[in-house]
Amino acid sequence: MKQEKQQKKQLKQEERQQKEQRRQEKHSKKQARRQSRKKDIRWDRLDNTAHLFPVIAGEDMSNVYRISVTLTEEIQPEQLQKALDIVLPQMDGFNLRLRQGVFWYYFEENGKPAPRVRKEKDFPCRYIRQNKNSSYLFRVSYYKCRINLEVFHVLTDGMGGINFLKELTYQYLRLVHPALRKQLGDHLSGDTSLNREDSFLRNYKKSHKNSYKSKKAYLVKGEKLPRGEFGVMHGYVDISALKEVCRGYGVSINEYLVALFAWSVYQEYMHGMPGKKPIRIAVPVNLRPYFDSITTKNFFVMVSAEFHPEKENYTFEEVVQHIHESLGSQINKEHLEEILSYNVSNEKVLVARAVPLFLKNLAIRYVYTTAALANTSTVTNIGNIHVEDSYRDYIQMFYAYLAMSKGQDIKGTICSYQDTLCFTFSSVLKDAVLQKAFFRKMAEDGLDVRIESNGVYYE
């Protein structure tokens, strides 16, 4: 009897030991998984331009841009969500969240399920609240035949956005049309870049020359739309006809359209009179072609097209010539390299790198405000978007637009696809006189312009 009790006691003790051993093994595995996850999490530095955007972004200045594609058929939201779920894990440059360190902001791999695709119901380019967007820095929406990609500029510029939107569109079309998947397979396009190089740092050369304009520019002011509203107006023109008009003026398409913008400000707001302040249009320049880069990070600098009306009644030909000379003197590799290097040199100052982030933010805001008020507006050229031949029949058009920024209540974006160019105005101004003057001058130059808007100007 006594022996049986001892055996039972020994068995219970062994069971307790085994249970404790299993508990310890389970705990060790859990710890190992945690450590593994910590090691596997990617992190990345922000590029030189990206440091600005988290500092100045907010509800009134979202620093969000939109690129949209219109298809030949209505969007199937379930398939669009599925396409995003498939593509996002393959695109490291979008699978990120923003973190705040002691000295700098930085990126960290997100890893959460993709944000939900939603039917468009709000005005474009709203501020992206990360805590309501699974920590992602972009959103995808749809409306009828259109897919919208909105991106917080900290992630990438327009070229990086197009890179992602095209791949998302390709994947969506393969899901909706199985014949395409059978024909093409189910992998990323060979033209899609996954490169995450910081091309600013790679092309930096020691330089401290500041070529930015600091003198205040003429600002377009007027009654604003109700808070939260956002006006969009597209003008579509045939590219071959537009080239013919530009040849007549002896300028490029970009120079002609920027000059048209400056001319419209001069006519409608300055009424053809002299002014103390210049009309200065900020023009982002994609640096990739100049420095042999395929990065999906931001890689652009700003130049300024300037026209200073010092007398009355300049002709459009005179304004075009001013813009042509202004841009021509700046858009060359040597000058762009100077701007790039100046920007990077500020970041590389060791003393500044040791300053806590909240103090850096104050300095960045001050510098940004000075630079912002030195420009009347911004006109950006996304360029001609090419798609693979197999998808061309399903895609009608691409277009893009920008959010507002300090002192700039109206902006322009140029985007073209196949034989059509779209110039898009985005504005928070109630009056559309500038847009009307712009398209009216196009018509006077013999161009057939088709105009669309999002309805805020309808009465």
Side-chain angles (χ1 to χ4, degrees), residues 25 53 64 67 84 89 122 125 172 181 194 208 276-277 319 321 333 393 396 405-407 418 426 431 438:
E25 286 175 356
F53 299 116
V64 171
I67 303 176
L84 181 59
D122 297 306
C125 301
Y172 169 79
R181 177 184 277 189
L194 298 177
H208 298 284
K276 293 181 180 179
K277 297 175 183 177
V319 175
Q321 193 58 35
K333 185 174 181 179
D393 290 342
Q396 283 188 336
S405 54
K406 192 172 185 65
Q418 294 194 37
S426 50
D431 207 329
F438 183 97

Side-chain angles (χ1 to χ4, degrees), residues 55 90 104 106 134 214 227 231 257-258 286 365 367 386 440:
V55 179
Q90 302 177 69
W104 293 109
Y106 64 95
S134 298
S214 57
R227 185 176 176 84
L257 294 172
V258 172
N286 174 24
R365 284 194 195 98
V367 171
H386 301 277
R440 184 167 59 244

Side-chain angles (χ1 to χ4, degrees), residues 261 377-378 402-405 408-413 424-427:
F261 196 107
S377 185
T378 299
L402 303 173
M404 300 302 95
S405 54
Q408 299 184 28
D409 292 331
I410 184 167
K411 295 186 179 184
T413 308
T424 299
F425 284 97
S426 50
S427 176

Side-chain angles (χ1 to χ4, degrees), residues 64-233:
V64 171
Y65 64 84
R66 172 184 285 198
I67 303 176
S68 299
V69 58
T70 304
L71 306 185
T72 57
E73 56 199 15
E74 288 214 2
I75 303 302
Q76 299 177 30
E78 300 83 5
Q79 298 290 29
L80 182 57
Q81 182 68 62
K82 188 174 179 182
L84 181 59
D85 293 342
I86 293 170
V87 168
L88 180 58
Q90 302 177 69
M91 307 290 277
D92 289 347
F94 277 74
N95 189 16
L96 296 170
R97 59 180 171 179
L98 188 65
R99 294 296 221 182
Q100 184 174 328
V102 177
F103 298 111
W104 293 109
Y105 290 97
Y106 64 95
F107 290 128
E108 186 178 81
E109 181 180 8
N110 191 323
K112 294 180 182 177
R116 303 309 300 166
V117 168
R118 302 188 187 281
K119 185 175 181 179
E120 183 178 14
K121 61 179 180 179
D122 297 306
F123 286 98
C125 301
R126 292 172 299 108
Y127 181 56
I128 295 177
R129 289 193 171 279
Q130 295 176 60
N131 60 349
K132 294 184 178 179
N133 196 47
S134 298
S135 302
Y136 285 102
L137 302 163
F138 71 95
R139 65 168 71 97
V140 176
S141 63
Y142 67 94
Y143 181 73
K144 293 185 177 179
C145 300
R146 187 177 69 232
I147 300 172
N148 307 308
L149 172 68
E150 295 190 333
V151 183
F152 184 24
H153 222 316
V154 71
L155 271 187
T156 183
D157 55 23
M159 293 298 102
I162 289 167
N163 191 61
F164 186 84
L165 179 60
K166 286 203 305 187
E167 201 56 65
L168 176 62
T169 305
Y170 292 165
Q171 181 65 62
Y172 169 79
L173 289 171
R174 289 197 300 270
L175 290 171
V176 172
H177 300 281
L180 277 176
R181 177 184 277 189
K182 188 174 181 182
Q183 174 194 345
L184 301 169
D186 202 19
H187 49 76
L188 296 182
S189 165
D191 295 332
T192 296
S193 175
L194 298 177
N195 186 289
R196 293 289 294 160
E197 171 193 79
D198 188 335
S199 291
F200 285 107
L201 289 177
R202 180 169 70 85
N203 293 284
Y204 163 75
K205 288 183 171 52
K206 272 198 174 181
S207 169
H208 298 284
K209 185 177 179 182
N210 181 3
S211 58
Y212 286 111
K213 306 284 186 183
S214 57
K215 182 181 176 183
K216 288 185 179 180
Y218 179 85
L219 299 182
V220 175
K221 296 179 181 178
E223 186 180 354
K224 293 187 179 181
L225 293 165
R227 185 176 176 84
E229 288 193 11
F230 189 88
V232 177
M233 190 176 291

